[in-house]
Amino acid sequence: MSIAALRDENERLKALLAQTQAALSEHQGALAASEEARRRLEIILGELRRDKFGSKSEKLRPDQYHLPLEDVEIAQGILDAAQERAEKIIQGGLRSDPDRGSHGNRGCLPAHLPRVERLIEPASTLCPCGCGVMTKIGEDVSQRLDVIPAQWRVLVTRRPKYICRRCSGPVVQAHAPEHVVPGGLPTCRSFDLI
């Protein structure tokens, strides 16, 4: 082989080596890109697995960060209200009334309003068995807000209860009058103003 042929062979091999190196670097770049994509997909898959199978109690949305503080504020408000109520009871400004039940402020109409009382008796207070007159054992009292134009007043309705002391007869009481709003406080005149 001649020197010129060796030079041509050397140039051809150098060109082939350059092509191979270019192809190798191109393949290495593609391999690095695919490795990066694989790593990102593994991260995404890990997050999805944690979301689906991980502990759900540790998840908090940003709007939930303040919930414990709201609970503390609510509890503080309840404590402040209880303390104010206790102070009023101690000072005698508010009486603790166990008969009020679960209705809270229902029926506590202002004391300065005039009261118009009416007494509704049963048709008869004689015992049905003929023993004689029945004895009063109690009464139901209801208060409703009534308004006369430019005048407010409270209508107090009393319905005494009677029972015979000689026999075990039934308790007798007059029926309650109909209300404009069943179980409500206003009377029919209250609605005339509306």
Side-chain angles (χ1 to χ4, degrees), residues 13 25 37 39 45 67 85 100 107 124 154 164:
L13 287 176
S25 67
R39 189 183 61 75
L45 185 60
L67 289 180
R85 181 171 173 80
R100 284 172 56 182
S124 173
V154 177
C164 181

Side-chain angles (χ1 to χ4, degrees), residues 144-161:
R144 296 183 297 150
L145 188 61
D146 187 27
V147 64
I148 299 174
Q151 180 183 1
W152 290 90
R153 64 183 184 173
V154 177
L155 293 180
V156 179
T157 304
R158 297 184 184 278
R159 298 183 305 124
K161 297 177 186 178

Side-chain angles (χ1 to χ4, degrees), residues 117-123 140 156-162 173-177:
E117 293 196 20
R118 67 178 175 180
L119 182 65
I120 303 174
E121 294 277 351
D140 288 334
V156 179
T157 304
R158 297 184 184 278
R159 298 183 305 124
K161 297 177 186 178
Y162 292 93
Q173 184 180 30
H175 291 286

